[in-house]
Amino acid sequence: MKICIPSFNRVETLRNKTLMTLKDVPKEMIYIFCVEEEYDDYQSLGFQTIIGEKGITNQRNFIYNYFPKGTKIVFIDDDISGIFRMKERLDPLTFFNEAFQKAGVRLWGINPISGFLKDTETNDLRFCIGCLYGVTTNNIILNPLAEGKEDYENSILHFQSVGLLKFNGVFVRTKYRAKGGLGEERPNNQNAIDYLKKYDVVRDKKEGEIRLLRVKGLDLHTIYTMLQKITVPVKQGKSSRQGFPRHRSTPFGISRARYSAKVGPSWASLKYPHIWEEIQKIGNHFNFNFTTVQLNHNLQCPPHKDGNNVGDSLLISFGEYTGGEIVINGETHNAYYNPIIFNGYELEHYNLPHEGNKYSLVFFNNLPNQ
């Protein structure tokens, strides 16, 4: 684990605040990143000091690339006077280890404010403020156009790529928009706000959270409500796929019988036409060609390939759960409210464990020349 402190024009602040907060952390874990003209001042603090780049977005990108891919990095601002869960002061290193253990490869973050706290953990798309967060380095690069609001783009890109975990009951003691550094520039950076409009996100007025919008009409709440009113059939023994555990799953659309090879409308499509209609709306929203949609309920798939699928599949998951990421050809992705298109016939894939109520829809084509 590397604890990285990007800092600019705040040597004494860093000495008196963040370094005091980290006083029990081994010095070899702490790295200070500064600009060249301030190198001597920061080096005098007695910690590993690296010359990076000017601007917080450029500096974050520099740090992402400075360490090998797969390195666990904690980003912490230079003016942090303490880390707290609800009213309890936390030992920084203990919390960092806990956060990485729970988050895995996901970005983890904290609450930007000390009020309206609930000691919960969530994995939907929420704003993870840049003053304290952790990542396992990957290929994500932030756009300098987001300068001053780069933590919004950081949250979005990690959610879309590997997912995120937010500790809603954890916050830091700091003074936002304090003089020096970049704090004074963040509130009114209209260029960054305009740039971020490329993403379908919305700010929650209460906490400053960001969530994916129903992308121009995409509504997963309706299908989630419908599915909670039915019981998805259990698959086991001869009715299940080889190597799969007992699970709940059923196809909608065109179904090919596993043993007779008979082709026709699936049982679920005929029994629940209103659900099938809603599922088709979702697939058509992405302009995706499909004949069949596999509905899975709380299924953890073992490593497999989809032998009967033709071409690409589209996967999207929803519900109230944590975990459950999909690993495709060795790379981890988060399909929670985030459609993922891949060739399941060619690429081995499986799910990581999850907790909670999870549904997933897999849109695919199982008929040639469709």
Side-chain angles (χ1 to χ4, degrees):
M1 184 195 308
K2 313 294 184 183
I3 300 173
C4 299
I5 311 171
S7 187
F8 178 74
N9 195 30
R10 282 180 170 176
V11 175
E12 291 306 313
T13 298
L14 174 58
R15 185 199 309 273
N16 296 326
K17 293 190 175 182
T18 298
L19 291 180
M20 288 299 296
T21 298
L22 301 176
K23 58 183 173 53
D24 295 325
V25 174
K27 292 184 65 172
E28 61 269 18
M29 298 180 67
I30 299 174
Y31 294 74
I32 299 171
F33 289 81
C34 64
V35 295
E36 185 174 5
E37 54 267 33
E38 296 181 343
Y39 176 78
D40 291 340
D41 293 334
Y42 279 102
Q43 190 184 42
S44 68
L45 295 173
F47 292 82
Q48 300 173 85
T49 305
I50 294 95
I51 297 174
E53 298 186 12
K54 193 170 185 178
I56 187 59
T57 306
N58 291 333
Q59 193 71 290
R60 291 198 196 282
N61 286 336
F62 179 87
I63 296 170
Y64 283 154
N65 290 318
Y66 184 81
F67 299 101
K69 294 294 184 287
T71 302
K72 297 185 184 303
I73 297 179
V74 175
F75 282 80
I76 184 169
D77 276 5
D78 53 19
D79 58 350
I80 303 300
S81 299
I83 305 170
F84 299 83
R85 176 180 276 120
M86 308 302 283
K87 296 181 179 181
E88 177 189 359
R89 181 183 287 270
L90 298 177
D91 173 72
L93 194 54
T94 301
F95 170 66
F96 299 159
N97 284 322
E98 173 198 347
F100 278 117
Q101 182 179 13
K102 290 184 175 181
V105 299
R106 294 175 292 177
L107 174 146
W108 59 260
I110 65 167
N111 205 313
I113 58 176
S114 58
F116 305 104
L117 295 178
K118 293 183 178 180
D119 193 15
T120 59
E121 299 163 11
T122 48
N123 70 349
D124 55 341
L125 177 53
R126 303 194 181 202
F127 175 48
C128 292
I129 194 164
C131 63
L132 177 63
Y133 69 94
V135 296
T136 300
T137 54
N138 45 52
N139 294 317
I140 288 176
I141 295 296
L142 306 176
N143 195 316
L145 292 175
E147 180 74 11
K149 300 287 183 182
E150 83 294 332
D151 41 7
Y152 282 87
E153 183 174 49
N154 193 51
S155 302
I156 296 167
L157 292 180
H158 277 88
F159 174 81
Q160 292 178 337
S161 176
V162 296
L164 62 79
L165 179 65
K166 184 172 180 181
F167 295 89
N168 298 303
V170 177
F171 66 96
V172 296
R173 183 169 294 165
T174 186
K175 185 177 181 181
Y176 294 117
R177 299 190 288 277
K179 292 184 178 181
L182 288 169
E184 295 173 297
E185 300 178 17
R186 288 185 181 274
N188 300 310
N189 191 338
Q190 189 61 47
N191 290 335
I193 294 172
D194 291 340
Y195 165 73
L196 288 170
K197 289 178 181 178
K198 64 176 282 189
Y199 297 105
D200 290 308
V201 298
V202 62
R203 275 191 79 178
D204 181 291
K205 294 181 180 179
K206 180 177 178 181
E207 193 184 339
E209 295 178 346
I210 48 180
R211 303 172 182 270
L212 285 179
L213 285 174
R214 298 173 180 177
V215 186
K216 294 182 179 179
L218 177 63
D219 177 11
L220 294 176
H221 177 73
T222 298
I223 187 66
Y224 182 49
T225 301
M226 289 179 173
L227 293 176
Q228 291 181 91
K229 296 177 181 179
I230 70 169
T231 300
V232 180
V234 172
K235 299 292 184 182
Q236 60 182 346
K238 290 185 177 181
S239 69
S240 181
R241 296 181 61 167
Q242 185 174 4
F244 272 54
R246 182 181 185 274
H247 65 282
R248 295 188 178 275
S249 180
T250 193
F252 282 81
I254 301 299
S255 176
R256 183 192 299 269
R258 184 170 299 277
Y259 296 102
S260 68
K262 183 179 178 180
V263 175
S266 71
W267 166 85
S269 302
L270 298 175
K271 184 174 178 62
Y272 305 113
H274 62 298
I275 293 179
W276 174 223
E277 180 180 359
E278 191 66 26
I279 289 174
Q280 289 179 86
K281 289 180 183 178
I282 297 170
N284 292 335
H285 171 81
F286 297 108
N287 196 28
F288 187 80
N289 180 43
F290 63 95
T291 61
T292 310
V293 183
Q294 193 71 27
L295 166 66
N296 299 315
H297 185 205
N298 289 330
L299 168 63
Q300 182 183 345
C301 292
H304 70 285
K305 295 181 181 180
D306 299 318
N308 293 325
N309 292 15
V310 178
D312 286 340
S313 300
L314 184 150
L315 165 68
I316 190 165
S317 301
F318 51 93
E320 299 172 276
Y321 67 93
T322 58
E325 295 85 354
I326 184 169
V327 180
I328 305 172
N329 207 30
E331 295 186 359
T332 304
H333 303 270
N334 184 11
Y336 183 81
Y337 285 81
N338 182 46
I340 297 173
I341 297 176
F342 66 102
N343 191 317
Y345 178 84
E346 296 180 352
L347 302 176
E348 184 179 76
H349 51 285
Y350 62 93
N351 288 114
L352 299 178
H354 77 276
E355 294 183 1
N357 193 28
K358 176 190 175 188
Y359 291 93
S360 62
L361 297 172
V362 183
F363 298 80
F364 63 97
N365 183 357
N366 67 358
L367 298 178
N369 302 319
Q370 295 293 314

